[in-house]
Structure formats: C-alpha cells, structure tokens
Amino acid sequence: MDAVDLVLRKYDGRPHRRVTGRLLGEDEFGTWIGTPRGTTVRFSYGLRRISWTGSDSVRLIPRDRWWLAMFSAEPSRSEIYCDVSTPARRTGPREFTVIDLDIDLIRFRADGRVVIDDEDEFAEHRVHFGYPDDVVAGATGAAAELHAALTGGAEPFAGHYRGWLARVGRPARRWSPFR
C-alpha cells in the first residue's frame, strides 16, 4: 500500500497538522487512509509538536465535501472525529491538503453522544482571517450535515467504515524519541 500525506493548514496558509498514512482505497464515499496505532502526527502549534496515535484509525477524505472524518478503534474514547475543512485538494501524487476551519464534531464511543467543538474558535477566526461568505456557508453547512449524519445513523458513519478500519494493520516497529 502507498504512503500518503494528509496536510491540514489554517486559513492564512500556515501549517497546522500532518499525518502520513497508507492509502487503502476508494469507494463511493471517498478516499480511505489507514493510520495504525503508533502512527506519527506532527503538529505546528503548541508545546506538543509530535505525537503518536493511540489506536488504529481510518481517515476518510470525501470528494467535494467540507469535512474530513477519522474513525478510531478502541481504546480511543472517540469513535468518530470530524474536522470541518475546505474540500480536499490533491497537492501532490501522494498528498492531500485541506484548510482546517476549526469546528470539530466528535461522537463518543461510550454513549454515542455527539458534540460540536471549537465553534468559538471558528467565530474568532472568521473575523481574524476574514472568512468569505462562501467559506462560512461551507463550514456551517458541513457542521449541520455532520451532526445530522452522526446522530441519525447515515453512512458512512453508521458502520460502513468498519470494513475499512479492519484493513488497518499495525506498524512493525514504532520509532521511539528516547533512543
């Protein structure tokens, strides 16, 4: 399977987050990328610049939609984590890039509760970066669409993702920063 980078930037173009996964395939919902437990995630903000995933996950990059989704296996507390973003663009033969628009939706494994996170950050950045009306409409529309899908049992959120998640294998060896 081919390695593929998923790059998230902020509206002003600065780097936000990057993860390299394995291209698993495509279906009617979009492109699926596997990120096994121990996959490196690089952050461009805060004190934590590098982290490793704590559970197997599969990431969905939908076609022409204003969001990305990550479906995680146990022991992750969140079953599904969605980033509201601009539609993904293929920016290289093995790279997808999006602009993260701050709003996140999370469905928790234990009780199925869905929360919308960082709407305050979206409102702040809307003013700070001057999000145009079409970006605001895309982001707020995506948040509403995702909330309805996550609470209403729509695919790929109901269970379709489980077949893709089953394809995610563990890396042979995890790099340790203490070596």
Side-chain angles (χ1 to χ4, degrees):
M1 290 182 231
D2 293 334
V4 62
D5 287 325
L6 179 55
V7 178
L8 287 83
R9 296 188 169 280
K10 286 298 187 181
Y11 194 77
D12 62 357
R14 68 188 151 105
H16 180 57
R17 188 169 69 230
R18 174 185 289 263
V19 63
T20 301
R22 284 185 240 145
L23 181 62
L24 299 177
E26 294 186 20
D27 66 12
E28 68 271 23
F29 296 107
T31 302
W32 295 86
I33 298 171
T35 52
R37 181 178 50 85
T39 297
T40 302
V41 180
R42 298 184 187 286
F43 298 89
S44 298
Y45 57 91
L47 298 174
R48 178 182 68 167
R49 294 301 178 122
I50 193 167
S51 184
W52 295 271
T53 57
S55 61
D56 289 347
S57 298
V58 66
R59 295 158 194 264
L60 172 60
I61 303 171
R63 287 179 214 72
D64 303 319
R65 304 306 277 270
W66 287 73
W67 52 267
L68 302 171
M70 179 175 69
F71 305 87
S72 297
E74 291 187 53
S76 176
R77 289 182 31 217
S78 62
E79 176 187 10
I80 303 171
Y81 190 101
C82 300
D83 286 291
V84 171
S85 67
T86 58
R89 295 179 301 117
R90 200 174 266 271
T91 49
R94 293 188 172 107
E95 182 178 273
F96 290 90
T97 300
V98 299
I99 304 300
D100 182 292
L101 296 171
D102 313 310
I103 303 171
D104 304 310
L105 285 90
I106 307 156
R107 185 165 81 193
F108 290 95
R109 183 177 314 287
D111 58 6
R113 179 174 45 103
V114 175
V115 298
I116 301 175
D117 195 25
D118 294 334
E119 287 178 298
D120 57 335
E121 191 176 328
F122 173 78
E124 179 184 318
H125 286 171
R126 177 181 180 179
V127 172
H128 179 77
F129 293 124
Y131 291 166
D133 292 343
D134 63 324
V135 169
V136 172
T140 56
E145 170 193 347
L146 286 166
H147 191 269
L150 288 165
T151 59
E155 292 294 5
F157 305 103
H160 178 80
Y161 70 89
R162 288 186 180 102
W164 290 100
L165 187 55
R167 297 180 188 189
V168 178
R170 300 204 192 291
R173 184 172 155 201
R174 180 178 148 189
W175 176 82
S176 171
F178 303 110
R179 287 188 185 158

